């Protein structure tokens, strides 16, 4: 994951378009569609047909996939009993993210080519981990491990769902016992400084909850993320992740913009992941609050193309003592870097829905065909996205006849009015922003998402959270020190 070089914990063209709205794949009230996370059956069939036909952007994207060492069917898994991220233990979580990306890439190659050697490789990786993993551990960054790798692993498992020899039940059990409890705990944590953590911390937790919900046909988990997206108290909610909207220029300020650009782009990728998974299950989060997310994508893209953008001083209560902290200027760290986050949002808003994204289009052109894990550096930051968006999300422009209105979210997860920001004026009021002013932008390939002295308590019985052989044990006794550390 992108990593900050700071001492404190923390987790960024102009044009307004209109157009018809294509409807998501299924109605929100029906059972889950499978596959139905980042890719539907129709998506996979489109990729296979386009690659076979030699369609330019698809073949360029497929070439990125086949060139990646993780996509080779000879990959052998390296499962661990307790992957650890952060804290004082061995930082061995690289084995986890490398294997996850190998499972996903091999599964995707199988779906496109039909070569079962790749399906076998993906199955064996997933089975090896579900048969070995006994818990996850670390300092505050274990939240990131549970979030990022939870949603990514679930996506890999979804692609090989029903494949001979894949132990889906055991794989589901692994994610529910060892990943979901930390995801759920984090977005429901008790603290007087709910806005302390950066948006990407909550967004990865939300993505994991939603993906695990789909994998397990658990509507309550899926709805948990949808509800938090609309109504959450922390920075993963839409109004907090995008606190200021500039409707006069069609842009919206991302929560981590004053921090650095690598994190801002990471946030675009995570929110895009959540919106795409929800869309594929019949829920339109992309269009929430007048497509607020589209304006944020354009904002981040425009600044990273070298243009000026409006910026409103970002204020939040920071650290265990809730100190009021300000970011008065936009952060330049990581500006113009390459991240595989643009194809998905562009193809949704432009080709599915007929809206304009001129800055995102230029960012895509500059970045070239999107790769995946292993193509963006050797450290965890290069594995924050599953990637391959050029291959996976390129689509033909929808015609008016093909488009239809998006369904409303289910009643239990409908959006509620929020005082944390609106798009009714050029600048919306800020929510309870979060972050840590002492966190600095890191270098490409580093884990810019977080870390430092303001860690969540280590996973020990004394501080309230433990990694145990049977899974995560969330002890009732957290203590004031633990709450303050958030």
């Amino acid at each position: 994951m992108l990593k900050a070089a700071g001492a404190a914990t923390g987790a960024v063209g102009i044009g307004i378009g209109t157009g018809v709205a294509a409807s998501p794949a299924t109605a929100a009230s029906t059972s889950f569609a499978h596959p139905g996370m980042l890719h539907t059956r129709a998506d996979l069939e489109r990729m296979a047909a386009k690659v076979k036909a030699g369609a330019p952007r698809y073949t360029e994207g497929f070439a990125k996939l086949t060139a990646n060492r993780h996509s080779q069917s000879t990959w052998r898994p390296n499962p661990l009993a307790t992957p650890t991220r952060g804290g004082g233990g061995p930082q061995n979580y690289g084995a986890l993210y490398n294997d996850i990306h190998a499972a996903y890439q091999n599964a995707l190659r199988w779906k496109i080519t039909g070569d079962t050697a790749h399906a076998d490789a993906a199955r064996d990786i997933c089975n090896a981990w579900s048969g070995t993993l006994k818990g996850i551990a670390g300092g505050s960054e274990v939240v990131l491990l549970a979030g990022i790798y939870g949603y990514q692993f679930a996506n890999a498992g979804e692609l090989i769902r029903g494949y001979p020899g894949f132990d889906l039940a055991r794989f589901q059990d692994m994610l529910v016992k060892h990943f979901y409890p930390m995801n759920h705990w984090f977005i429901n944590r008790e603290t007087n400084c709910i806005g302390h953590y950066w948006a990407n911390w909550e967004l990865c937790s939300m993505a994991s909850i939603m993906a695990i919900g789909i994998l397990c046909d658990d509507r309550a988990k899926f709805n948990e993320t949808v509800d938090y997206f609309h109504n959450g108290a922390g920075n993963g909610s839409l109004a907090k992740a995008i606190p200021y909207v500039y409707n006069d220029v069609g842009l919206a300020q991302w929560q981590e913009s004053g921090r650095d650009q690598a994190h801002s782009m990471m946030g675009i990728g995570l929110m895009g992941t959540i919106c795409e998974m929800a869309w594929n299950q019949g829920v339109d989060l992309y269009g929430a609050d007048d497509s607020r997310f589209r304006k944020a994508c354009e904002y981040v893209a425009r600044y990273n193309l070298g243009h000026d953008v409006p910026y409103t001083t970002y204020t939040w209560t920071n650290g265990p003592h809730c100190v009021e902290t300000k970011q008065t200027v936009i952060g330049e760290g990581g500006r113009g870097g390459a991240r595989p986050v643009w194809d998905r949002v562009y193809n949704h808003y432009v080709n599915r829905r007929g809206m304009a994204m001129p800055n995102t289009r230029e960012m895509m052109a500059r970045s070239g065909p999107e790769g995946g894990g292993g193509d963006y550096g050797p450290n965890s930051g290069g594995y924050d996205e599953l990637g391959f968006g050029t291959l996976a999300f390129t689509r033909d422009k929808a015609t008016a006849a093909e488009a239809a209105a998006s369904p409303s979210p289910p009643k239990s997860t409908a959006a509620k009015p929020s005082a944390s920001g609106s798009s009714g004026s050029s600048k919306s009021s800020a929510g309870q922003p979060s972050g840590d002013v002492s966190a600095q932008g890191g270098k490409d390939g580093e884990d810019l998402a977080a870390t430092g002295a303001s860690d969540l308590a280590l996973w020990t019985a004394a501080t309230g959270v433990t990694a145990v052989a049977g899974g995560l044990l969330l002890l009732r006794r957290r203590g004031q020190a633990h709450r303050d550390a958030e």
Side-chain angles (χ1 to χ4, degrees), residues 72-74 106-107 109-124 160 163-164:
Q72 310 310 309
S73 62
T74 53
N106 271 284
R109 278 189 78 167
W110 166 57
K111 287 292 188 180
I112 293 169
T113 67
D115 185 347
T116 58
H118 293 289
D120 290 346
R123 175 199 62 203
D124 292 346
I160 59 169
Y163 187 73

Side-chain angles (χ1 to χ4, degrees), residues 170-209:
R170 192 175 71 187
F171 189 76
Q172 291 169 323
D173 190 61
M174 173 187 72
L175 290 170
V176 169
K177 286 186 176 180
H178 303 304
F179 292 80
Y180 171 74
M182 175 51 67
N183 305 149
H184 173 80
W185 173 81
F186 188 68
I187 67 171
N188 291 282
R189 64 196 183 277
E190 298 174 9
T191 175
N192 58 342
C193 291
I194 188 66
H196 170 74
Y197 284 96
W198 302 105
N200 73 80
W201 286 64
E202 290 199 350
L203 287 168
C204 71
S205 298
M206 293 160 62
S208 183
I209 292 170

Side-chain angles (χ1 to χ4, degrees), residues 12 253-261 264 299-300 311 330-331:
V12 200
Q253 184 172 317
W254 187 257
Q255 188 259 343
E256 298 188 62
S257 293
R259 184 187 185 192
D260 60 60
Q261 297 311 302
S264 296
Y299 181 97
V300 174
Y311 183 80
I330 194 167

Side-chain angles (χ1 to χ4, degrees), residues 337-339 342 362-370 376:
R339 298 285 164 185
W342 302 109
E362 186 176 347
M363 197 70 182
M364 284 170 52
R366 289 195 184 185
S367 300
E370 289 182 355
Y376 297 90

Side-chain angles (χ1 to χ4, degrees), residues 190-191 457 461-464 475-486:
E190 298 174 9
T191 175
T463 53
L475 302 182
R476 294 182 182 275
R477 181 177 59 81
R478 292 183 179 145
Q480 185 62 46
H482 178 63
R483 290 194 294 272
D484 289 346
E486 297 172 350

